[in-house]
Amino acid sequence: MAEVFNRAVRRLGAVLALVLGLAVCAVSEAHADGVETLMVPSAAMGRDIPVTFLAGGPHAVVLLDAFNAGPEVSGWVGAGAFKTLAGRGVSVVAPAGGAWSLYTDWQNDPSRRWETFLSTELPDWLVANRGLAPGGHGVVGASQGGTAALTLAAFHPNRYRYAGSMSGFLYPSSTLYNGPISDGMARFGGVDPWAMWGPPQGGNWKWHDPYVHARLLVQNDIRLWVYSPSTRTCSDPAAMIGYCDLAAASNRDFYHRYREEDGGNGHFDIPVGGEHDWGSWSAQLAAMAADLTASIR
């Protein structure tokens, strides 16, 4: 009887060792690539923001999502952005949870204070907790994130000296675009766009417009990378609020405005091919990677 008991104990010990070994392997695999999931507090929004982070250098690339951003994990994670930028001497930062926000501070919705988070709370937290530099970073976004990337760099050049936009809406205050943007945000996101910047014809739409502030980007010598396919149809309508045909048009408008301001530190690509989706955006991130990392390292 004692021998039976001892064999049972030995078997149980072996099983426990196997389980613990597998658990240790799982943990090491989860962290083998150095990618962390951080919860960064935002006093402005009254909650913690999930941020995927890869340490790689004192300067970071902040990646911003399309309109249909995931609540817990950035779309850039699934698009392979961390593999694309790993080992290039920069850190990579991808906040989640910014769906249907344009990453701006909303006038009448305290749960959306994204400009405050991205210009102050997030970089200050990374300085204090991950040893990053306070400024000199890059910000790159798709769709709504592209719009925000240029606006953040225009208003916060002490934080961001590189801005990349892929399929961004770069002239949102224009009467050609503000109505469709409002319609698309309400239709796909179920939000009240007037709570963002007020009525579309109001002055606050102009205040948050990359086209209107092209001169600031030129004066501060922000390095720009602007990409938007001329494709008129949407392979991912929710990501683009159903108005893919207007994205490239607004990019052409912005290009001409930037040149009028004697801007010469920008790369512009508005090709015939390509789609307004993660396949094209991830490929474009790979295309810009050398230029991006060389500019902020």
Side-chain angles (χ1 to χ4, degrees), residues 171-178 181 200-202 205-206 209 211-212:
Y171 193 2
S173 69
S174 167
T175 55
L176 294 175
Y177 308 122
N178 56 28
I181 291 172
Q201 299 307 315
W205 279 72
K206 292 189 184 326
D209 191 328
Y211 176 97
V212 172

Side-chain angles (χ1 to χ4, degrees), residues 36-40 48-54 72 93 122 125-126 129-130:
E36 302 178 75
T37 298
L38 310 174
M39 296 302 293
V40 179
D48 292 347
I49 306 300
V51 176
T52 307
F53 176 77
L54 173 65
E72 301 296 334
V93 183
L122 177 61
W125 192 93
L126 291 171
N129 294 277
R130 290 297 183 274

Side-chain angles (χ1 to χ4, degrees), residues 231-251:
T231 310
R232 299 177 61 84
T233 56
C234 286
S235 59
D236 188 353
M240 295 293 294
I241 52 174
Y243 286 104
C244 290
D245 56 330
L246 299 184
S250 74
N251 278 248

